[in-house]
Amino acid sequence: MPFTYEYPHPAVATDIAVFTLRRGALNVLLIERGAAPYLGAWALPGGFLQPDEELDECARRELLEETGVDADLLLHFGNFSAPDRDPRERVISVAYLALLASDELRLEASTDAAQARWFAVGDLPELAFDHAEILRRALEVLGSRARTISPLFALLPARFTLSQLQGAYEAVTGEEAEKRNFRKMVASLGCVSETDDFAHGSHRPARLYEAAS
Amino acid sequence: MPFTYEYPHPAVATDIAVFTLRRGALNVLLIERGAAPYLGAWALPGGFLQPDEELDECARRELLEETGVDADLLLHFGNFSAPDRDPRERVISVAYLALLASDELRLEASTDAAQARWFAVGDLPELAFDHAEILRRALEVLGSRARTISPLFALLPARFTLSQLQGAYEAVTGEEAEKRNFRKMVASLGCVSETDDFAHGSHRPARLYEAAS
DNA sequence: TGACTTAGTGTCGTCAATACACGAACATGC
DNA sequence: GCATGTTCGTGTATTGACGACACTAAGTCA
């Protein structure tokens, strides 16, 4: 029996919610759309799946093309398939989230995007399409996974103080943590190892840690 | 700027791993393919997304059409997008899992499927496409979510004994549980309430419980 | 050199999870 | 009807995890 699939194929795209910490606050990367629809509106970076490309690859490529940011760890967290979510034609959105250390970042908007910018998650502009909903879901997933700590390393430089790690944890979960209990938890997880160096600020230096082998 | 999307659209399909308990063992519902490719091979039920249909709806509809089983609670757990995973054309698979009580089941194969059958997850046939991989991932996700108990109700009749609930828990996690500790856990979760009735077997009757309001 | 600020540590109480053994209730067979 | 067998159902003691709590240490800056 020959294959006949009588329905039109939808377009398939990825959208990526990239988070980082800036001045202790959780920020998300948005682009200003350079094309209709929603010309001039802010949106999550993303774009269409190409032939011979897996969805994960598509997400990484689109993010790099549109913002100059290369994220090697992308987590799929949901699909968005409302038939009218894109006014042009039917587009299935495959949503990813990523975490990045802010010292790795150099934003470069591409042709598709007029500009790329960080926004604190508590102070967001109106978003194009259903991206507000996608971002809301991304934040939910992020908060629920923060307790495993290890993803948080991606938000920090390679070497970090425990206070920085706690700050990342608090920014992602939205809850304050007890300093001593937090350190006990980190120690029991065994996912960091101390270095011989210290971060020098304006007060007592803090020991630097790194992700355990 | 007019919208032009120069790449061909892939087909989008859903595949569903439906689990139930039969004689205490976890079983998965498979269909025998009634069309090429993989004619005669066993596969997860599933099919193509239609216009004006959300992915969740597609999964429920395809399952019902192909097997006669209606699952109202479908959980998306991943996408499968290897470019060559379907020999006909590019097909993105959106994968779901569902749990059902075996007393709700009356299997009816449709035209697309020669027959539908339950297989113990420990004794599976060769599967079409990349469905072995999809099923493997479904089992991982299922095991990791069992600890919240509440999804397990779907595997059981409306009223069940605690021994049945524990059996479902053990079948899904693959680990044995201590009877008293399991009951304490269930009590502390507060997700079941006792009824005044008892299940009569060949020994001491067991109290029947139901999902808490 | 003194004041300020952040870094870093130990203890106790509570609660959750683990391990463990026995009496209760009913069905069945003699 | 009575003895036997099987599953149902419960309480306690121990352990480890988690949360609350206050102080000393080390360096900067004025």
Side-chain angles (χ1 to χ4, degrees):
Chain A
M1 177 157 61
F3 172 64
T4 56
Y5 172 33
E6 64 256 57
Y7 302 108
H9 294 6
V12 174
T14 55
D15 289 303
I16 308 100
V18 187
F19 296 100
T20 196
L21 289 177
R22 302 196 333 143
R23 294 183 305 279
L26 194 62
N27 280 54
V28 63
L29 182 56
L30 299 178
I31 59 161
E32 188 183 355
R33 287 184 55 80
Y38 295 101
L39 175 64
W42 293 94
L44 296 172
F48 291 99
L49 181 68
Q50 291 191 1
D52 303 319
E53 176 184 58
E54 296 235 17
L55 287 165
D56 295 1
E57 295 165 1
C58 173
R60 186 173 183 180
R61 175 185 55 75
E62 285 287 346
L63 180 62
L64 184 60
E65 285 179 8
E66 290 196 343
T67 68
V69 168
D70 189 18
D72 56 354
L73 209 70
L74 288 155
L75 174 71
H76 168 59
F77 68 91
N79 297 323
F80 295 82
S81 63
D84 57 355
R85 58 176 293 283
D86 190 310
R88 296 168 291 187
E89 67 169 328
R90 180 143 201 213
V91 180
I92 306 296
S93 170
V94 178
Y96 286 82
L97 71 80
L99 302 177
L100 284 181
S102 55
D103 63 358
E104 296 177 9
L105 301 175
R106 216 153 302 272
L107 302 182
E108 308 163 15
S110 77
T111 51
D112 286 354
Q115 59 171 320
R117 238 195 71 187
W118 294 102
F119 288 85
V121 296
D123 185 26
L124 293 169
E126 288 276 312
L127 295 184
F129 305 106
D130 55 356
H131 286 191
E133 166 71 5
I134 296 177
L135 183 50
R136 199 182 57 71
R137 286 271 309 278
L139 285 166
E140 277 178 24
V141 171
L142 181 56
S144 69
R145 302 222 176 178
R147 287 163 200 290
T148 59
I149 293 291
S150 38
L152 296 180
F153 296 149
L155 285 170
L156 298 174
R159 305 190 340 153
F160 48 85
T161 68
L162 292 183
S163 294
Q164 283 178 296
L165 183 60
Q166 182 173 346
Y169 180 86
E170 292 173 342
V172 168
T173 61
E175 298 167 11
E176 296 210 348
E178 283 290 320
K179 180 164 62 168
R180 271 159 295 196
N181 297 333
F182 180 81
R183 286 166 188 240
K184 266 187 294 189
M185 178 183 71
V186 170
S188 74
L189 289 173
C191 55
V192 302
S193 52
E194 67 178 35
T195 71
D196 293 331
D197 297 326
F198 292 82
H200 291 266
S202 58
H203 294 291
R204 174 174 173 177
R207 184 178 290 277
L208 288 169
Y209 290 78
E210 60 192 10
S213 54
Chain B
M1 176 155 63
F3 172 64
T4 56
Y5 171 34
E6 63 256 54
Y7 302 109
H9 295 6
V12 173
T14 55
D15 288 303
I16 308 102
V18 188
F19 296 101
T20 196
L21 289 177
R22 300 193 338 140
R23 295 182 303 280
L26 195 61
N27 280 54
V28 63
L29 181 57
L30 299 178
I31 59 162
E32 187 184 355
R33 288 185 54 80
Y38 295 101
L39 174 65
W42 293 95
L44 296 173
F48 291 100
L49 182 68
Q50 291 190 1
D52 303 319
E53 176 184 58
E54 296 234 15
L55 287 164
D56 295 1
E57 295 165 0
C58 173
R60 186 174 183 181
R61 176 185 54 74
E62 284 288 346
L63 181 61
L64 184 59
E65 286 179 7
E66 289 196 342
T67 68
V69 169
D70 190 17
D72 56 356
L73 208 72
L74 287 156
L75 174 70
H76 168 60
F77 69 89
N79 296 324
F80 295 81
S81 63
D84 57 356
R85 58 177 293 284
D86 191 310
R88 296 168 292 189
E89 67 169 326
R90 180 144 202 213
V91 180
I92 307 295
S93 169
V94 178
Y96 286 82
L97 70 81
L99 301 178
L100 284 181
S102 55
D103 64 357
E104 297 178 9
L105 301 175
R106 215 154 302 270
L107 302 182
E108 308 165 14
S110 77
T111 51
D112 287 355
Q115 59 171 318
R117 240 197 69 189
W118 294 102
F119 287 85
V121 297
D123 185 25
L124 294 170
E126 288 276 312
L127 295 184
F129 305 107
D130 55 355
H131 287 191
E133 165 72 6
I134 296 177
L135 183 50
R136 198 182 57 72
R137 286 271 309 278
L139 285 165
E140 277 179 23
V141 171
L142 181 56
S144 69
R145 302 220 176 180
R147 287 164 200 289
T148 58
I149 294 291
S150 40
L152 296 180
F153 296 149
L155 285 170
L156 298 174
R159 305 191 338 154
F160 48 84
T161 69
L162 292 183
S163 294
Q164 283 177 296
L165 183 60
Q166 182 173 345
Y169 180 86
E170 292 173 343
V172 168
T173 61
E175 298 168 11
E176 296 209 351
E178 284 289 321
K179 180 163 63 167
R180 272 159 295 197
N181 297 333
F182 180 80
R183 285 165 190 241
K184 265 188 294 191
M185 179 183 70
V186 170
S188 74
L189 289 173
C191 54
V192 302
S193 52
E194 67 179 34
T195 70
D196 294 330
D197 297 326
F198 292 82
H200 291 267
S202 59
H203 293 291
R204 174 175 173 174
R207 184 179 289 278
L208 288 169
Y209 290 77
E210 58 192 9
S213 55

